[in-house]
């Protein structure tokens, strides 16, 4: 089936690193995405990775991709209270003509002092 | 760029009433998507358009839901008659396929929070 899986909750202390994990479904997906949703707001693209890459770093964000295991992770270094949000992993598989984003249920990140 | 614009931001209506949600995609984008977000079902793709033409409406829950895109800068999602179970946040998103970078990135609007009493 088309289920992108994520853990639902993560709680970290301010200043620590956060790691959010995701398992996607289709090894043919060309791009994999991380979206962030703050309370009462829409989804904001955080970062993405192309399927021929293993890692992508963008300031405090590091994305790791393991194609063999269809595992994607997002690491946030030096997590701040402003990082508290829901993080969605998403893939865009060929089964939908590369048009349909398949989202996970989202991981709610809580950052406490 | 103003981003994807949605209106209204909040809508409260009574069961049986018609509801119309509106979306203005990012200028130049050729794909437009309507999503629904609920606690129980997460994010669901309802329908998407390419160059104003509906391509896949398999996610539309039932005949009470309809969507149109009369031109490249405007789309509507209509629910008639509305029911309490339609209460959700409805997002519109747009993208440009094959554009520079070709990341298929979808840009989301702020959403319309619909409450049907």
């Amino acid at each position: 089936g088309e289920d992108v899986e994520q853990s639902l909750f993560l709680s970290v202390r301010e200043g620590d690193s956060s790691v959010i994990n995701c398992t996607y479904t289709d090894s043919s997906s060309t791009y994999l995405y991380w979206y962030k949703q703050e309370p009462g707001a829409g989804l904001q693209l955080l970062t993405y990775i192309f399927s021929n890459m293993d890692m992508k770093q963008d300031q405090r964000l590091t994305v790791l991709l393991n194609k063999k295991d269809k595992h994607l992770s997002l690491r946030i270094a030096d997590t701040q209270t402003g990082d508290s949000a829901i993080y969605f992993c998403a893939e865009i598989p060929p089964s939908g003509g590369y048009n349909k984003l398949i989202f996970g249920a989202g991981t709610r990140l809580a950052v406490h002092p | 760029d103003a981003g994807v614009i949605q209106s209204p931001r909040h809508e409260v209506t009574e069961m049986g009433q018609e509801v119309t949600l509106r979306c203005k995609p990012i200028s130049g984008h050729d794909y437009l998507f309507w999503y629904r977000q609920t606690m129980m079902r997460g994010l669901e793709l309802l329908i998407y358009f390419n160059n104003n033409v509906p391509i896949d409406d398999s996610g539309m829950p039932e005949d009470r839901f309809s969507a149109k895109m009369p031109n490249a800068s405007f789309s509507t999602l209509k629910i008639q008659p509305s029911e309490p179970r339609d209460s959700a946040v409805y997002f519109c998103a747009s993208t440009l396929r094959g554009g520079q970078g070709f990341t298929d990135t979808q840009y989301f609007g702020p959403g319309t929070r619909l409450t049907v009493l």
Side-chain angles (χ1 to χ4, degrees):
Chain A
E2 293 185 335
D3 284 334
V4 176
E5 295 185 350
Q6 302 178 237
S7 53
L8 294 182
F9 299 102
L10 177 64
S11 179
V12 299
R13 184 172 297 179
E14 191 174 11
D16 287 350
S17 292
S18 307
V19 180
I20 302 172
N21 294 302
C22 167
T23 303
Y24 61 98
T25 64
D26 195 326
S27 58
S28 300
S29 292
T30 52
Y31 288 97
L32 296 143
Y33 304 85
W34 285 103
Y35 279 85
K36 176 184 179 181
Q37 185 180 30
E38 295 180 353
L43 276 74
Q44 170 194 355
L45 178 68
L46 205 55
T47 188
Y48 65 90
I49 188 168
F50 188 49
S51 58
N52 68 352
M53 300 169 65
D54 297 324
M55 185 183 84
K56 180 180 180 181
Q57 188 150 3
D58 183 3
Q59 299 182 333
R60 293 190 298 121
L61 305 179
T62 303
V63 179
L64 295 178
L65 175 60
N66 180 331
K67 280 192 71 174
K68 174 176 170 292
D69 295 336
K70 290 183 282 188
H71 184 264
L72 184 72
S73 69
L74 173 69
R75 178 177 181 270
I76 305 173
D78 187 24
T79 313
Q80 302 298 306
T81 54
D83 296 324
S84 295
I86 302 175
Y87 291 81
F88 292 91
C89 167
E91 64 174 334
I92 191 160
S95 59
Y98 293 106
N99 291 321
K100 298 172 75 166
L101 267 176
I102 308 297
F103 286 92
T107 299
R108 185 179 295 274
L109 173 64
V111 182
H112 55 88
Chain B
D1 195 325
V4 175
I5 299 172
Q6 291 186 247
S7 64
R9 292 294 310 276
H10 302 274
E11 176 80 35
V12 180
T13 191
E14 292 187 343
M15 183 174 63
Q17 296 298 305
E18 178 181 293
V19 175
T20 300
L21 311 181
R22 297 173 177 79
C23 175
K24 177 178 167 51
I26 293 173
S27 177
H29 282 190
D30 56 355
Y31 280 80
L32 183 141
F33 305 82
W34 281 101
Y35 291 88
R36 179 172 67 175
Q37 185 179 37
T38 61
M39 289 291 292
M40 292 298 295
R41 301 175 67 90
L43 270 162
E44 303 173 276
L45 176 65
L46 300 177
I47 185 172
Y48 74 90
F49 296 81
N50 174 219
N51 291 325
N52 314 337
V53 176
I55 302 300
D56 186 343
D57 65 353
S58 59
M60 296 285 261
E62 48 198 273
D63 292 345
R64 297 184 297 105
F65 285 70
S66 62
K68 293 182 180 179
M69 193 165 185
N71 58 62
S73 59
F74 184 65
S75 177
T76 59
L77 178 68
K78 186 176 292 187
I79 308 173
Q80 166 63 16
S82 58
E83 296 182 3
R85 61 191 167 122
D86 302 329
S87 297
V89 181
Y90 291 81
F91 290 104
C92 176
S94 70
T95 192
L96 174 63
R97 289 290 308 275
Q100 191 171 10
F102 190 58
T103 64
D104 297 325
T105 300
Q106 292 186 19
Y107 295 88
F108 282 72
T112 295
R113 182 174 295 276
L114 173 65
T115 303
V116 183
L117 303 174

